[in-house]
Amino acid sequence: MRPGHPFLLALLLFLGQAVGDLGDLDFLASTPDSSSFLGFDSGSSFGSSTSPTFLGSKAPPSQSLSNFTGSVDDRGTCRCSVSLPDTTFPADRVERLEFTAHILSQKFEKELSKVKEYVQLISVYEKKLLNLTVRVEVMEKDTISYTELDFELIKLEVKEMQKLVIQLRQSFVGSSEIVNQLEVEIRNMTLLVEKLESLDKNNVLVIRRQIEALKKKLKECEASKGEGSLATPPPPSPGSCSHGGVVNISRPAVVQLNWRGFSYKYGAWGRDYSPQHPGNGLYWVAPLNTDARLLEYYRLHSTLDDLLLYANARQNRITYGQGSGTAVYKNNMYVNWYNTGNIAKINLTTNKVAVTKNLPGAAYNNRFSYANVAWQDIDLAVDEHGLWVIYSTEASTGNMVISKLNDTTLEVLNTWYTKQYKPSASNAFMVCGVLYATRTLNTRTEEIFYYYDTNTGKEGKLDITIHKMQENMQSINYHPFDQKLYVYNDGYLLNYDLVFLQEPQEAV
């Protein structure tokens, strides 16, 4: 078998030259004539600079062997190493490629289906947008603006009247003819609202006037339901304090959403009060920015009808109001100056600051604000006696402090210290020199639970329930002539009628 070894070596070297470089193989030639069989000089070593040649002729350049190394050991044995190419088929790589292609195909199909769905949605929204554009164009051509919210609020008021009629029917003494007539009118009103909503949504003002007339009839009916009993004394005249204080409060009358929209949940609203012209005050609405802190814009309306229709508004801008403790008195707006313990007086005619004054010792910037209402450490209020401020100091350890202010100079005229911790109350207001504080019972109910009478120095507990439309009451402003509370309730404008304890009549 020894003579076959040189032939095998020659074959392998030829294959190595033909297919290129891959692996390393070692071959042993055990006879000295192995090299001569291949045409190599046995005295030369493989891998040297001398190129190998075949016997009898010079090998052509194309047949030159370069992908090997070799040498002859001491025994004359030829040892060489040939690099062969990797001819193995890469099945594992092909399999991975097929798997990746399958995954990519699935993702492509998924994204393609999404694109088809989006195309369908775009078509639907395009039709809706076109319809909305037509509706807006129709509204813009009209002279009076409206919102669907107005009709929702009207429906709420009609439902409240329906409930009151049911209560009257249960408790009414004597003939029920008046109650029956009211019930028929309210039913007709419901049908009228539905008809207006479907046909002519611009007559909001007309329907509201009819509702006010119905409310007046309901009040007259309620006042006469105790027929046969002793006559009750009339309510105190507007602006008068000839009563024994607040003993009850009506259900809320929803006026509308504030003019800036749903996002503006914090703010205040009310009506200017002047003892010289008590019934002619402007209506004002002052929503805070969405940070619930900065008062930047406010609007003024000459009448409630204008406010209801967002019409004939005078809009002003300031850059220094802070919190919902705003009050308006004698054509001046009073606010807490931003980031300070100062009070600013703003002339509503010129929108210019007339006076600024530091409130001595007052805490500010959320040190002692109301519960659930931030940035109202300094709360200004108006009643029959004039301008007040409700606040806390470090010396009072957070308890409410009441100060009477000079509305011209903002000087403190007198101060009273209460035992009521301010951050545990949700809000407060003044009536005839008496502080009334509220607290939250649940998401639909507040309670007037505390009072402090600056006329006598007495304080005590109350339990007067206040119904509300939304969860938080950001501000409460009292108007002496209307004898109403103007409440800013999570962006909605509400008002309430107050019921007072009547002074006993002296015998003649």
Side-chain angles (χ1 to χ4, degrees), residues 381-396:
V382 172
D383 72 353
E384 291 83 354
H385 295 168
L387 182 64
W388 302 81
V389 61
I390 305 162
Y391 60 105
S392 294
T393 65
E394 295 294 343
S396 73

Side-chain angles (χ1 to χ4, degrees), residues 6-21:
F7 174 77
L8 178 61
L9 180 60
L11 177 62
L12 292 175
L13 287 176
F14 178 77
L15 290 174
Q17 176 67 23
V19 296
D21 182 24

